[in-house]
Amino acid sequence: MGRKLPRPEKTRIFTVSNQKGGVGKTTTTVNIAAALAAAGLNVLVIDIDPQGNASTALGIEHHADVDSIYDVLINDVALADVVAQCPDIDKLICAPATIHLAGAEIELVSLVAREQRLRRAIDVYAKTREKNGEERLDYIFIDCPPSLGLLTVNAFCAANEVLIPIQCEYYALEGLSQLLKNIEMIQKHLNADLVVSTILLTMYDGRTNLAAQVAAEVRTHFPDQVLSAVVPRSVRISEAPSYQQTVMTYDPSSSGALSYLEAAAEIAER
Ligand SMILES: Nc1ncnc2c1ncn2[C@@H]1O[C@H](COP(=O)(O)OP(=O)(O)OP(=O)(O)O)[C@@H](O)[C@H]1O
Ligand SMILES: [Mg+2]
């Protein structure tokens, strides 16, 4: 912690996506965001999962009455009006998700420019910050739900880069081709600038051959995308959210925190 990392030339917008559930999307989102913010960069996390796990982990209120990313997507509320400060980390802000988002998937269908609503909200927010004399955001991370519906499509349209967390287990690669096919469709029809820039191996259990095999296979398929840093299976990582914290503040010297710090540094230095 405390290591300085370079500022990107322009805001880098990542969507953290994998339609497989429980692979570490949210954990990866909040911890990489926290690591970059702790290094002095301006970071925004956008929670577009109705479960609101990223909001919880960052200690951001997200009960049903809070204005949230739902209002941004459906009611044209400005992103500036829903972002909240993360209590533990100065340069980290979060647009929370509430349970109302569960209905957004259906409500979006009948709206104009339904795939581009998040992108537009982010563009407007960037201009608002500039007008208010606030510093430019360096990173935006969008935490997706485990599905490929319209919320995830909004994230793909708003982002320049996709970060795919892959759990080092047997079924890891099974859904991946479907995910990549969907991303290709987005590139073709909605967002030509989108690239799958980063893959992070998570929940790596060094005691099993299986984890090593899965990791090797993913590296063979995606040599340029897979980060060298690997996130180990760690009790500290899984405990942190119950204290409304990231592992970066909950136990900064743990192996889990150090691995996320390493991953964040690799991302920043690429
Ligand atoms: N490296 C790790 N070591 C141990 N537990 C982990 C690790 N990474 C994530 N977990 C735990 O695994 C569970 C799933 O992780 P997480 O919520 O980040 O996945 P997700 O992909 O966001 O899930 P969902 O698809 O439901 O959004 C959580 O309980 C989390 O605390
Ligand atoms: Mg999640």
Side-chain angles (χ1 to χ4, degrees), residues 182-202:
N182 275 53
I183 294 171
E184 267 170 40
M185 294 245 280
I186 301 279
Q187 289 164 330
K188 205 157 144 200
H189 299 291
L190 292 164
N191 181 5
D193 297 332
L194 189 67
V195 285
V196 177
S197 66
T198 313
I199 293 176
L200 178 61
L201 299 167
T202 64

Side-chain angles (χ1 to χ4, degrees), residues 21-27 49 51 146 203 231-234 237-238:
V23 297
K25 292 181 287 295
T26 301
T27 307
D49 183 350
Q51 300 178 99
M203 300 187 222
V231 178
R233 222 174 233 298
S234 136
I237 289 180
S238 58

Side-chain angles (χ1 to χ4, degrees), residues 3-268:
R3 171 164 159 196
K4 280 271 171 270
L5 294 173
R7 291 191 70 183
E9 264 163 41
K10 60 185 190 69
T11 308
R12 289 176 74 183
I13 308 177
F14 282 84
T15 176
V16 182
S17 184
N18 190 333
Q19 81 279 17
K20 197 163 149 48
V23 297
K25 292 181 287 295
T26 301
T27 307
T28 295
T29 300
V30 299
N31 287 300
I32 289 191
L36 291 167
L41 302 169
N42 294 306
V43 185
L44 164 64
V45 167
I46 298 178
D47 189 354
I48 58 155
D49 183 350
Q51 300 178 99
N53 297 152
S55 313
T56 302
L58 294 176
I60 309 288
E61 271 200 340
H62 61 102
H63 56 77
D65 299 334
V66 169
D67 279 348
S68 75
I69 204 71
Y70 169 83
D71 301 284
V72 172
L73 292 173
I74 305 295
N75 297 330
D76 287 318
V77 170
L79 197 48
D81 294 335
V82 309
V83 291
Q85 173 64 47
C86 170
D88 299 314
I89 303 168
D90 261 1
K91 297 209 150 214
L92 184 55
I93 54 178
C94 172
T98 57
I99 190 65
H100 299 303
L101 259 190
E105 204 79 70
I106 290 164
E107 288 174 75
L108 275 168
V109 172
S110 58
L111 296 184
V112 181
R114 60 191 179 190
E115 295 99 352
Q116 307 285 352
R117 297 181 78 87
L118 185 59
R119 154 161 274 194
R120 288 188 186 170
I122 291 172
D123 286 346
V124 171
Y125 181 50
K127 292 196 183 101
T128 306
R129 285 182 69 99
E130 201 180 335
K131 222 185 312 153
N132 295 345
E134 293 172 281
E135 283 180 32
R136 194 200 65 201
L137 289 170
D138 296 306
Y139 286 89
I140 299 175
F141 290 91
I142 307 167
D143 185 28
C144 289
S147 73
L148 294 169
L150 267 175
L151 289 169
T152 299
V153 169
N154 262 274
F156 283 145
C157 288
N160 329 109
E161 302 182 48
V162 185
L163 191 175
I164 306 177
I166 292 184
Q167 193 182 356
C168 296
E169 288 192 357
Y170 181 65
Y171 295 118
L173 296 172
E174 208 132 279
L176 201 56
S177 57
Q178 183 63 44
L179 176 61
L180 295 173
K181 252 184 240 150
N182 275 53
I183 294 171
E184 267 170 40
M185 294 245 280
I186 301 279
Q187 289 164 330
K188 205 157 144 200
H189 299 291
L190 292 164
N191 181 5
D193 297 332
L194 189 67
V195 285
V196 177
S197 66
T198 313
I199 293 176
L200 178 61
L201 299 167
T202 64
M203 300 187 222
Y204 186 87
D205 184 344
R207 296 166 305 181
T208 68
N209 289 333
L210 179 62
Q213 280 166 15
V214 171
E217 195 173 343
V218 176
R219 285 191 194 282
T220 308
H221 282 291
F222 305 98
D224 301 329
Q225 287 88 358
V226 184
L227 298 179
S228 319
V230 171
V231 178
R233 222 174 233 298
S234 136
V235 174
R236 306 306 266 170
I237 289 180
S238 58
E239 283 172 353
S242 53
Y243 298 89
Q244 276 126 56
Q245 285 191 42
T246 66
V247 76
M248 310 311 294
T249 55
Y250 176 63
D251 190 354
S253 60
S254 63
S255 62
L258 295 175
S259 68
Y260 271 117
L261 196 55
E262 218 30 68
E266 268 186 73
I267 288 173

